[in-house]
């Protein structure tokens, strides 16, 4: 990386204010941001589709390769293991070559991985291909939200970044629709291969988008940041304020605050605790368990196979709708407040679901309808709350000098938690029963509410530089309705 002063200084003969005043702003700034949001949405959709399609495809894969149950688990989990590795590896890559180029690399891996899965001649080659595909899935969850957060204006950052979450829901929904309606028309190979098409669309789109202005400022220079900002901002005054903030942060950044070493600094710890804690509760609160295993749970409760699959499709629809509603409101309501409003509903829904499961409802009776009602209510509250915020906090809470590494750790935490939940849910049901398992997850959601209440500040309306300043000045803490991030900002 270049020396900080050198990287952020314009040529000696150019005054920064004069350079900004002379910028020729693009008349298509809003269109460029819309394209960036579309890229984020497609990547989120790929994540949702590639992880969700296995539920419908696994039956066909098992039939072709005659898989025992342990091999089914390995095939399903391979993509999650790859995602952990991909999330960690992409952090260094996005710092070295930039966020935009990293997305291009990730899409190439997506395309190769999807085709490799579709052409796999044996079960172990399929496992290897799904692991390779997981590298792209994990990598995209690290770099795409970070890229969008660094490109977006602060007042629209939440909405643009959480489009990634909305698209995850759409991807899961499409995967459920494909698995439910086309399992007798398509082979599993076609179900998997189709993901290469949207990956190619993202690959082409990235050549039209600018670099992250934050990364450009630190690695190319002020002229690089201005070139990026002029393409996504429609006001010279906004650019001037943003550049000043970037420069002020860079001037205060020390060598020991950079990279992985920077994450050990005490002043960064509140952001690590808040973002990584929410990441764990995002995955461990029960929603991932419901998405992967709802048909299994409902079948164990006496529902027929068709009813269980339809209920699973309902889960995907509610998830998709609620993440969209949360996306549209997260900037207005706030990240912290949204989680605190929705979490009690998740707790009560799981308690109710546990009570009904413990009663061993007869199929087709009133209690069966209560199971579906409580299940969908839980998805509504969880998907519209913490699921909207989980990926967003990791993209906006961390300082620029260590953001790539921190978002890698954040994405790996999300994927690692997902892997743990996926690997233990059925064992938990065997140990505690369906009712006890729901009550266990209700307890996890109570813990998540208390965690947000005491450890997660409100970041809505703050620029990335405001958040970094709050960390350094020890103002990064919840305080009343609007916390101290905005004080003196």
């Amino acid at each position: 990386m270049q020396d900080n002063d050198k990287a952020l200084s314009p040529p000696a003969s150019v005054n920064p204010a004069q350079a900004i005043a002379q910028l020729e702003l693009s008349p298509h700034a809003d269109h460029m941001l819309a394209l960036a949001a579309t890229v984020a949405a497609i990547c989120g959709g790929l994540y949702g589709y590639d992880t969700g399609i296995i539920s419908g495809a696994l039956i066909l894969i098992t039939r072709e390769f005659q898989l025992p149950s342990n091999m089914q688990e390995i095939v399903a989990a391979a993509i999650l293991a790859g995602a952990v590795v991909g999330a960690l590896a992409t952090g260094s890559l996005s710092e070295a070559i930039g966020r935009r180029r990293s997305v291009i690399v990730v899409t190439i891996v997506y395309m190769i991985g999807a085709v490799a899965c579709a052409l796999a001649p044996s079960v172990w080659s399929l496992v290897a291909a799904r692991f390779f595909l997981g590298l792209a899935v994990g990598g995209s969850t690290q770099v795409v939200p970070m890229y969008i957060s660094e490109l977006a204006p602060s007042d629209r950052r939440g909405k643009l970044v959480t489009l990634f979450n909305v698209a995850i829901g759409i991807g899961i929904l499409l995967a459920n629709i494909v698995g439910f309606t086309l399992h007798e028309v398509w082979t599993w190979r076609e179900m998997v291969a189709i993901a290469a098409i949207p990956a190619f669309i993202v690959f082409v789109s990235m050549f039209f988008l600018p670099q992250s202005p934050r990364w450009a400022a630190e690695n190319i220079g002020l002229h690089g940041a201005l070139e990026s900002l002029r393409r996504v901002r429609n006001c010279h005054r906004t650019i001037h304020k943003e550049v000043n903030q970037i420069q002020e942060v860079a001037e205060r950044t020390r060598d020991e605050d950079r990279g992985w070493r920077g994450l050990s600094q005490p002043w960064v710890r509140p952001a690590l605790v808040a973002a990584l804690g929410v990441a764990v509760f995002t995955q461990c609160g029960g929603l991932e368990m419901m998405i992967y295993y709802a048909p299994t749970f409902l079948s164990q409760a006496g529902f027929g196979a068709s009813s269980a699959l339809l209920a699973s499709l309902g889960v995907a629809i509610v998830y998709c709708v609620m993440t969209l509603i949360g996306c549209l409101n997260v900037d207005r309501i706030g990240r912290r407040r949204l989680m605190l409003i929705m979490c009690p509903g998740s707790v009560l829904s799981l308690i109710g679901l546990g009570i009904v499961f413990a009663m061993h409802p007869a199929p087709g009776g009133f209690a069966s309808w209560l199971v579906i009602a409580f299940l969908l209510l839980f998805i509504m509250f969880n998907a519209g709350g913490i699921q909207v915020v989980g990926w967003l906090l990791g993209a906006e809470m961390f300082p620029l000098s260590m953001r790539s590494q921190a978002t890698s750790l954040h994405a790996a935490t999300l994927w690692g938690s997902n892997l743990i939940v996926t690997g233990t849910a059925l064992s938990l049901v065997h140990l505690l029963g369906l009712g006890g398992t729901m009550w266990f997850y209700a307890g996890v959601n109570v813990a998540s509410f208390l965690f947000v209440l005491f450890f997660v500040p409100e970041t809505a309306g703050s620029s990335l530089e405001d958040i970094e300043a709050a960390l350094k000045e020890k103002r990064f803490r919840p305080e009343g309705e609007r916390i101290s991030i905005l004080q003196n900002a």
Side-chain angles (χ1 to χ4, degrees):
M1 183 176 295
Q2 298 178 20
D3 178 78
N4 225 28
D5 294 334
K6 179 180 178 182
L8 290 172
S9 298
S13 60
V14 179
N15 179 278
Q18 183 180 359
I20 294 170
Q22 293 176 348
L23 276 181
E24 182 180 349
L25 301 182
S26 170
H28 307 296
D30 288 337
H31 295 155
M32 194 63 64
L33 283 173
L35 178 60
T38 301
V39 163
I42 294 175
C43 288
L46 280 168
Y47 157 23
Y49 184 86
D50 283 328
T51 55
I53 193 60
I54 193 64
S55 61
L58 191 57
I59 298 173
L60 303 176
I61 294 171
T62 300
R63 188 182 304 161
E64 179 174 333
F65 293 122
Q66 298 298 306
L67 301 183
S69 58
N70 64 323
M71 281 306 303
Q72 292 178 42
E73 292 174 347
I74 292 173
V75 170
I79 196 170
L80 301 178
V84 175
V85 177
L88 289 171
T90 309
S92 299
L93 183 70
S94 64
E95 188 62 31
I97 67 174
R99 293 30 163 162
R100 185 176 69 92
R101 292 192 187 99
S102 295
V103 177
I104 292 173
V105 172
V106 164
T107 57
I108 293 172
V109 176
Y110 256 127
M111 289 185 284
I112 295 173
V115 173
C117 286
L119 298 177
S122 67
V123 63
W124 284 111
S125 61
L126 176 60
V127 169
R130 279 181 60 79
F131 180 88
F132 185 77
L133 182 62
L135 298 177
V137 173
S140 69
T141 58
Q142 185 274 329
V143 70
V144 173
M146 177 174 62
Y147 173 65
I148 301 301
S149 74
E150 293 184 349
L151 206 64
S154 59
D155 61 336
R156 297 168 62 187
R157 187 176 65 245
K159 185 179 297 184
L160 292 177
V161 174
T162 52
L163 277 174
F164 184 83
N165 300 67
V166 175
I168 292 172
I170 295 173
I172 292 171
L173 176 59
L174 288 175
N176 274 271
I177 292 172
V178 168
F180 183 72
T181 63
L182 298 179
H183 66 278
E184 294 183 355
V185 179
W186 280 3
T187 68
W188 66 267
R189 297 178 187 276
E190 291 164 319
M191 293 179 182
V192 172
I194 196 71
I197 295 175
F200 178 74
I201 294 172
V202 174
F203 173 78
V204 174
S205 299
M206 292 309 299
F207 289 96
F208 297 94
L209 287 169
Q211 290 279 10
S212 157
R214 270 78 183 177
W215 182 87
E218 197 170 31
N219 292 270
I220 299 174
L222 181 62
H223 63 284
L226 291 177
E227 174 58 27
S228 295
L229 286 170
R230 77 166 191 86
R231 297 179 62 189
V232 292
R233 301 289 185 270
N234 49 25
C235 174
H236 286 91
R237 184 168 57 184
T238 300
I239 294 176
H240 191 274
K241 178 182 178 182
E242 209 161 331
V243 167
N244 283 343
Q245 288 180 323
I246 293 172
Q247 285 187 303
E248 288 171 9
V249 167
E251 288 168 1
R252 294 197 301 264
T253 300
R254 304 168 301 174
D255 287 341
E256 57 265 33
D257 293 336
R258 297 186 178 280
W260 290 107
R261 186 170 53 170
L263 293 177
S264 65
Q265 298 299 311
W267 63 273
V268 183
R269 198 166 298 136
L272 277 174
V273 170
L276 299 187
V278 171
V280 169
F281 285 117
T282 297
Q283 302 295 336
C284 294
L287 184 128
E288 296 296 329
M289 171 196 67
M290 297 298 188
I291 288 174
Y292 291 137
Y293 296 117
T296 302
F297 294 156
L298 294 174
S299 296
Q300 290 179 8
F303 286 76
S306 180
S307 298
L309 285 172
L310 281 174
S312 182
L313 187 59
V315 165
I317 292 171
V318 173
Y319 178 95
C320 185
V321 171
M322 289 308 300
T323 50
L324 176 59
I325 293 173
C327 166
L328 297 175
N329 290 282
V330 69
D331 283 319
R332 181 177 61 85
I333 296 176
R335 289 78 157 126
R336 181 174 185 266
R337 191 192 299 179
L338 184 63
M339 289 187 286
L340 293 177
I341 289 172
M342 301 297 277
C343 191
S346 296
V347 174
L348 295 175
S349 301
L350 286 171
I351 291 174
L353 191 58
I355 292 172
V356 180
F357 274 141
M359 293 167 56
H360 305 290
F366 177 71
S368 296
W369 287 105
L370 283 179
V371 168
I372 300 299
F374 281 126
L375 173 62
L376 295 182
L377 280 172
F378 167 70
I379 300 297
M380 182 182 77
F381 286 112
N382 193 273
I386 196 169
Q387 297 297 323
V388 173
V389 179
W391 294 102
L392 173 58
L393 294 186
E396 68 182 10
M397 276 191 171
F398 298 116
L400 175 62
S401 59
M402 62 194 79
R403 187 170 296 144
S404 295
Q405 293 76 16
T407 52
S408 285
L409 184 59
H410 178 261
T413 300
L414 282 154
W415 284 110
S417 302
N418 190 340
L419 186 58
I420 291 171
V421 169
T422 304
T424 61
L426 296 180
S427 299
L428 200 60
V429 171
H430 180 74
L431 179 67
L432 302 177
L434 278 173
T437 300
M438 297 306 122
W439 294 332
F440 172 83
Y441 281 111
V444 173
N445 279 270
V446 170
S448 76
F449 178 87
L450 295 174
F451 180 85
V452 172
L453 184 65
F454 291 111
F455 293 102
V456 182
E458 182 58 74
T459 53
S462 304
S463 71
L464 299 179
E465 288 70 35
D466 289 335
I467 296 170
E468 184 167 345
L471 281 166
K472 289 182 175 178
E473 297 167 14
K474 295 181 170 51
R475 293 185 285 105
F476 190 88
R477 55 187 181 272
E479 287 183 358
E481 192 67 22
R482 275 289 171 189
I483 57 90
S484 55
I485 279 185
L486 291 178
Q487 292 176 4
N488 305 319

